[in-house]
Amino acid sequence: MDKRNMTTYWTIQTKSKWQEVQTLGYLTGNRAYVDEDFAEAYHWMMTQMKERIPGYAGEYPVWLRTERPDLRRSGYLAKGEQGVLLKVTLDAKDVLLSDFQAWHIVLNNCYMSLELDEDELYTEEEIRTSWVLIFELEQLKASEIWGEPLDLQGVTGKVPINQLTCVKEFIAR
């Protein structure tokens, strides 16, 4: 592992998920937590991970943030739920970055554009093909719709417990 390419990410998990990680020795995503309405979008993301992350083995995504989340804010977990903030150190090549807001285009099965459109109609194939733009961070920054700053997020597959370098327990607000 080349330490020069190591990057810090953050993920919020439930306390029960953290207990599972300690038992298994690694963190992965879980199909049980994917809303049925978003299953197709998740499978599309997993296909992208397979194409773009060397060694990715098809696990459900672990969602990562590039900035440390502010635990004083609400919305990370259900109010009152016990959670953990995990600091994750990974090689940058093992994380597929996208824009959090642009990801919602995929979740909502919409056409992804870098410029304002006049309500054009798109085929299902054109819609799906457009989604890869969520990974084109420089193009997103320069676009009239998205611009800077981007709200970066990442996905990865299995994270060994030794790459979780800090654990902070909290109660969700």
Side-chain angles (χ1 to χ4, degrees), residues 55-74:
Y56 169 69
E59 305 90 355
Y60 271 82
V62 174
W63 292 91
L64 305 167
R65 302 297 295 184
T66 59
E67 300 289 327
R68 186 181 193 276
D70 182 352
L71 298 179
R72 297 172 294 185
R73 292 185 45 221
S74 63

Side-chain angles (χ1 to χ4, degrees), residues 58-120:
E59 305 90 355
Y60 271 82
V62 174
W63 292 91
L64 305 167
R65 302 297 295 184
T66 59
E67 300 289 327
R68 186 181 193 276
D70 182 352
L71 298 179
R72 297 172 294 185
R73 292 185 45 221
S74 63
Y76 297 119
L77 299 170
K79 184 175 181 169
E81 187 170 7
Q82 293 182 322
V84 292
L85 172 65
L86 302 173
K87 183 178 179 182
V88 184
T89 305
L90 294 170
D91 190 310
K93 73 175 176 38
D94 295 328
V95 177
L96 177 56
L97 293 177
S98 63
D99 179 74
F100 176 75
Q101 301 305 324
W103 164 240
H104 287 78
I105 296 291
V106 179
L107 288 175
N108 291 304
N109 197 30
C110 295
Y111 182 80
M112 175 68 189
S113 180
L114 296 175
E115 49 196 47
L116 297 173
D117 305 56
E118 294 298 324
D119 295 323
E120 293 196 29

